[in-house]
Amino acid sequence: MTERPKSTGAPAHQNVTFPSGGTTAHGYLALPPSGRGPGVIVIQEWWGLTDHIADVADRLAREGFVALAPDLYGGNVAHESQEALRMMQDLPVARGVELLSGAVDHLLSLPEVTSETVGAVGFCMGGGFVLYLAAADPRVSAAVPFYGVIQGEAPDFSGLKARILGHFGELDQAIPKEAVDQLAETIERQSGITPDFRHYPADHAFFNDGRPVYHAESAARAWESTVPFLRERLG
């Protein structure tokens, strides 16, 4: 499996480069023990391409997937919430989707990737980008937003092809259940696809084991449904 870069001079966790959105993008690529498998894009929280996101990519690789976490902040990582908010706001949604579509291009071009479509798994800001990307790019066939934050208007889901498995915390004041229910209704009405949105007795960011709000039982349940969902959709 691909090891995390050490003394390369590159920002932490960057170990691949690829063309995306008219520029050279960076990211973290993790390969499964077999060397080949279905492709999954892993989309960062508003903090950046952190240890947690690289660890998620590694975990997916251990499950047999080729996992690519594109670095949407160009090597920058936030260390407090106001900085993270500013960095998130400095990344327009349309630009983020453009960069992520470039990451899909790169992932599907790799000889190690056996699937014709990709999965997308994202957290917080990245969970919202999972939905924006799936709405815009029919090559995404499995979308897994963890407590996804929609920035501004919801995307147009009329062209959605992906099945959606979403994970949300019942104690998450930033994303109340009413908002999640409304989002589910919008997706179904526009696309005809009923998302599977699941709720857990946990707060926002409950999957991140580096945060005080980590909830081990909820994280385990979410992961145990995510892996077979991706396998079923991607082969």
Side-chain angles (χ1 to χ4, degrees), residues 3 27 34 36 109 136 151 159 172 178 211 215:
E3 293 184 356
S34 68
R36 303 178 73 242
S109 75
Q151 302 174 59
D172 188 346
E178 294 76 15
R211 306 291 296 174
H215 193 267

PDB file of all heavy atoms in Angstrom, residues 3 27 34 36 109 136 151 159 172 178 211 215:
ATOM      1  N   GLU A   3       2.688   4.376   1.035  1.00  0.00           N
ATOM      2  CA  GLU A   3       2.990   4.943   2.335  1.00  0.00           C
ATOM      3  C   GLU A   3       2.871   6.460   2.279  1.00  0.00           C
ATOM      4  O   GLU A   3       3.063   7.078   1.238  1.00  0.00           O
ATOM      5  CB  GLU A   3       4.419   4.562   2.752  1.00  0.00           C
ATOM      6  CG  GLU A   3       4.583   3.077   3.006  1.00  0.00           C
ATOM      7  CD  GLU A   3       5.970   2.767   3.509  1.00  0.00           C
ATOM      8  OE1 GLU A   3       6.799   3.688   3.575  1.00  0.00           O
ATOM      9  OE2 GLU A   3       6.210   1.592   3.825  1.00  0.00           O
ATOM     10  N   GLY A  27      -2.339  15.678  -4.266  1.00  0.00           N
ATOM     11  CA  GLY A  27      -3.225  14.856  -3.459  1.00  0.00           C
ATOM     12  C   GLY A  27      -2.478  13.728  -2.799  1.00  0.00           C
ATOM     13  O   GLY A  27      -1.251  13.601  -2.918  1.00  0.00           O
ATOM     14  N   SER A  34      -3.519  -5.474  -2.884  1.00  0.00           N
ATOM     15  CA  SER A  34      -3.469  -6.172  -4.170  1.00  0.00           C
ATOM     16  C   SER A  34      -2.887  -5.307  -5.278  1.00  0.00           C
ATOM     17  O   SER A  34      -2.524  -5.818  -6.342  1.00  0.00           O
ATOM     18  CB  SER A  34      -4.879  -6.619  -4.574  1.00  0.00           C
ATOM     19  OG  SER A  34      -5.682  -5.485  -4.873  1.00  0.00           O
ATOM     20  N   ARG A  36      -4.579  -3.149  -6.996  1.00  0.00           N
ATOM     21  CA  ARG A  36      -5.636  -2.739  -7.913  1.00  0.00           C
ATOM     22  C   ARG A  36      -6.976  -2.778  -7.188  1.00  0.00           C
ATOM     23  O   ARG A  36      -7.169  -3.566  -6.249  1.00  0.00           O
ATOM     24  CB  ARG A  36      -5.704  -3.656  -9.150  1.00  0.00           C
ATOM     25  CG  ARG A  36      -4.424  -3.745  -9.926  1.00  0.00           C
ATOM     26  CD  ARG A  36      -4.531  -4.701 -11.111  1.00  0.00           C
ATOM     27  NE  ARG A  36      -5.326  -4.133 -12.192  1.00  0.00           N
ATOM     28  CZ  ARG A  36      -6.465  -4.628 -12.654  1.00  0.00           C
ATOM     29  NH1 ARG A  36      -6.968  -5.732 -12.110  1.00  0.00           N
ATOM     30  NH2 ARG A  36      -7.107  -4.068 -13.654  1.00  0.00           N
ATOM     31  N   SER A 109      -8.014   7.331 -14.847  1.00  0.00           N
ATOM     32  CA  SER A 109      -6.939   7.087 -15.816  1.00  0.00           C
ATOM     33  C   SER A 109      -5.885   6.121 -15.294  1.00  0.00           C
ATOM     34  O   SER A 109      -5.060   5.627 -16.069  1.00  0.00           O
ATOM     35  CB  SER A 109      -6.249   8.413 -16.175  1.00  0.00           C
ATOM     36  OG  SER A 109      -5.392   8.859 -15.125  1.00  0.00           O
ATOM     37  N   ALA A 136     -23.018  16.987 -10.468  1.00  0.00           N
ATOM     38  CA  ALA A 136     -22.427  17.540 -11.685  1.00  0.00           C
ATOM     39  C   ALA A 136     -21.741  16.505 -12.556  1.00  0.00           C
ATOM     40  O   ALA A 136     -21.582  16.713 -13.761  1.00  0.00           O
ATOM     41  CB  ALA A 136     -21.415  18.628 -11.309  1.00  0.00           C
ATOM     42  N   GLN A 151     -22.957  24.664   1.020  1.00  0.00           N
ATOM     43  CA  GLN A 151     -22.592  26.076   1.045  1.00  0.00           C
ATOM     44  C   GLN A 151     -23.470  26.839   0.050  1.00  0.00           C
ATOM     45  O   GLN A 151     -23.357  26.669  -1.152  1.00  0.00           O
ATOM     46  CB  GLN A 151     -21.124  26.252   0.677  1.00  0.00           C
ATOM     47  CG  GLN A 151     -20.160  25.493   1.571  1.00  0.00           C
ATOM     48  CD  GLN A 151     -18.739  25.596   1.064  1.00  0.00           C
ATOM     49  OE1 GLN A 151     -18.196  26.679   0.943  1.00  0.00           O
ATOM     50  NE2 GLN A 151     -18.143  24.447   0.759  1.00  0.00           N
ATOM     51  N   GLY A 159     -29.600  15.722 -12.865  1.00  0.00           N
ATOM     52  CA  GLY A 159     -28.735  14.816 -13.617  1.00  0.00           C
ATOM     53  C   GLY A 159     -28.029  13.785 -12.764  1.00  0.00           C
ATOM     54  O   GLY A 159     -27.140  13.076 -13.254  1.00  0.00           O
ATOM     55  N   ASP A 172     -26.021  17.440  15.994  1.00  0.00           N
ATOM     56  CA  ASP A 172     -25.334  18.427  15.158  1.00  0.00           C
ATOM     57  C   ASP A 172     -26.221  19.654  14.973  1.00  0.00           C
ATOM     58  O   ASP A 172     -27.152  19.644  14.172  1.00  0.00           O
ATOM     59  CB  ASP A 172     -25.002  17.795  13.807  1.00  0.00           C
ATOM     60  CG  ASP A 172     -24.117  18.675  12.939  1.00  0.00           C
ATOM     61  OD1 ASP A 172     -23.974  19.875  13.247  1.00  0.00           O
ATOM     62  OD2 ASP A 172     -23.582  18.157  11.952  1.00  0.00           O
ATOM     63  N   GLU A 178     -34.226  18.646  10.333  1.00  0.00           N
ATOM     64  CA  GLU A 178     -35.189  19.226   9.398  1.00  0.00           C
ATOM     65  C   GLU A 178     -34.504  19.605   8.081  1.00  0.00           C
ATOM     66  O   GLU A 178     -35.070  19.429   6.995  1.00  0.00           O
ATOM     67  CB  GLU A 178     -35.856  20.461  10.012  1.00  0.00           C
ATOM     68  CG  GLU A 178     -36.739  20.168  11.205  1.00  0.00           C
ATOM     69  CD  GLU A 178     -35.944  19.885  12.478  1.00  0.00           C
ATOM     70  OE1 GLU A 178     -34.723  20.183  12.511  1.00  0.00           O
ATOM     71  OE2 GLU A 178     -36.542  19.350  13.438  1.00  0.00           O
ATOM     72  N   ARG A 211     -10.809  14.489  17.011  1.00  0.00           N
ATOM     73  CA  ARG A 211     -11.572  15.614  17.556  1.00  0.00           C
ATOM     74  C   ARG A 211     -12.289  15.176  18.840  1.00  0.00           C
ATOM     75  O   ARG A 211     -12.631  14.001  19.004  1.00  0.00           O
ATOM     76  CB  ARG A 211     -12.618  16.102  16.543  1.00  0.00           C
ATOM     77  CG  ARG A 211     -12.065  16.442  15.167  1.00  0.00           C
ATOM     78  CD  ARG A 211     -11.195  17.661  15.180  1.00  0.00           C
ATOM     79  NE  ARG A 211     -11.962  18.848  15.563  1.00  0.00           N
ATOM     80  CZ  ARG A 211     -11.416  20.047  15.763  1.00  0.00           C
ATOM     81  NH1 ARG A 211     -10.124  20.200  15.660  1.00  0.00           N
ATOM     82  NH2 ARG A 211     -12.176  21.068  16.090  1.00  0.00           N
ATOM     83  N   HIS A 215     -17.275   9.977  18.158  1.00  0.00           N
ATOM     84  CA  HIS A 215     -18.184   9.041  18.811  1.00  0.00           C
ATOM     85  C   HIS A 215     -17.931   7.668  18.201  1.00  0.00           C
ATOM     86  O   HIS A 215     -18.362   7.373  17.074  1.00  0.00           O
ATOM     87  CB  HIS A 215     -19.639   9.470  18.603  1.00  0.00           C
ATOM     88  CG  HIS A 215     -20.610   8.757  19.479  1.00  0.00           C
ATOM     89  ND1 HIS A 215     -21.270   7.619  19.076  1.00  0.00           N
ATOM     90  CD2 HIS A 215     -21.041   9.013  20.741  1.00  0.00           C
ATOM     91  CE1 HIS A 215     -22.080   7.204  20.033  1.00  0.00           C
ATOM     92  NE2 HIS A 215     -21.959   8.037  21.059  1.00  0.00           N
TER      93      HIS A 215
END
